[in-house]
Amino acid sequence: MLPLSVSIQAEDFDIGQEHQALRAQDERVGAVCSFLGTVRSQSDGQAVSAMALEHYPGMTEKAIMAMLSQAQDRFDIYAARVIHRIGDLMPGDQIVWVGVTSAHRGQSFQACEFLIDYLKTQAPFWKKEQTPSGARWVDARVSDDEALSRWGIQVPRQAI
Amino acid sequence: LRLELMAISPQHAEALAPQKAVRAALNQVACAEDAPLSDGDEVAFFPPVTGG
């Protein structure tokens, strides 16, 4: 497997297999750190019965590969992988997985958090939730921008 | 370009209104709204992203 990779897919994924693959044949690895994001059944006080995820094909893969390269430049890591699902999802479903390997835990913990913070605000995905009062597009969160700014990255502001 | 697109229809004008948070991308890379364009460039405007 390439040291940096991204998959955008409708299909579910197996975390165990991903963990194994990420560190396979690399005995330098002493730490694997990963993050899994899942669909919640509640959002902003409303029940969520389903969620649809759309993205901007082409840009999504490019943007995430750029994030992975940045993570490799910033942290002492060996391999990193992002999987993000698209299409129709249900509460409890896996949405996103970020996995990173390194020699010691510190670097992979940091790189993993950096990658999910970055992805939350810069990868072109959009969520639409089904609620009892109808479907609604999820609003971007200011707290996500703040999470990214901790890494010294400022979110581009409006030109107008 | 954003202003020209807004002139196409009321729906375009609403989606791209100045008070709306709109992100821009040039050739599938995030860019500022005043990025210079060339022939054949792919331009996208979209709302703040909500993945992850």
Side-chain angles (χ1 to χ4, degrees):
Chain A
M1 173 172 290
L2 291 168
L4 304 178
S5 66
V6 55
S7 293
I8 310 299
Q9 60 189 51
E11 305 76 45
D12 202 4
F13 48 87
D14 182 320
I15 299 176
Q17 280 179 13
E18 295 295 337
H19 263 262
Q20 288 293 336
L22 199 65
R23 66 190 183 86
Q25 290 147 14
D26 189 346
E27 293 183 345
R28 299 170 303 167
V29 172
V32 183
C33 188
S34 71
F35 170 84
L36 174 70
T38 57
V39 180
R40 291 180 300 152
S41 60
Q42 292 275 325
S43 174
D44 292 327
Q46 284 216 292
V48 174
S49 57
M51 175 178 283
L53 260 150
E54 293 190 6
H55 76 130
Y56 177 7
M59 179 176 172
T60 316
E61 294 83 351
K62 267 192 198 176
I64 294 174
M65 279 310 289
M67 292 171 202
L68 288 163
S69 296
Q70 273 211 40
Q72 197 173 41
D73 291 344
R74 282 173 176 244
F75 308 102
D76 192 6
I77 58 176
Y78 297 136
R81 174 163 169 74
V82 171
I83 305 172
H84 204 300
R85 291 179 71 193
I86 51 172
D88 296 326
L89 300 174
M90 303 297 286
D93 281 353
Q94 306 186 131
I95 307 176
V96 58
W97 183 80
V98 179
V100 183
T101 66
S102 60
H104 305 286
R105 69 186 181 284
Q107 293 295 299
S108 48
F109 262 128
Q110 285 193 53
C112 188
E113 194 169 15
F114 168 82
L115 282 167
I116 190 64
D117 283 351
Y118 210 161
L119 190 148
K120 276 271 185 188
T121 56
Q122 303 299 304
F125 292 100
W126 299 277
K127 285 175 181 163
K128 191 179 202 174
E129 295 171 338
Q130 293 291 338
T131 71
S133 52
R136 63 179 184 191
W137 289 101
V138 175
D139 280 332
R141 289 173 190 273
V142 173
S143 60
D144 287 337
D145 286 350
E146 288 166 355
L148 188 62
S149 68
R150 285 185 302 140
W151 302 100
I153 296 172
Q154 293 304 318
V155 177
R157 287 284 154 228
Q158 288 299 107
I160 293 179
Chain B
L1 178 64
R2 181 168 171 180
L3 295 173
E4 281 186 32
L5 288 171
M6 284 173 64
I8 294 174
S9 76
Q11 288 83 1
H12 283 73
E14 189 193 338
L16 295 168
Q19 67 271 22
K20 290 245 172 128
V22 174
R23 302 280 170 85
L26 175 58
N27 295 323
Q28 304 184 344
V29 178
C31 72
E33 274 206 358
D34 54 0
L37 301 180
S38 311
D39 276 357
D41 278 346
E42 176 178 324
V43 177
F45 292 106
F46 45 79
V49 303
T50 56

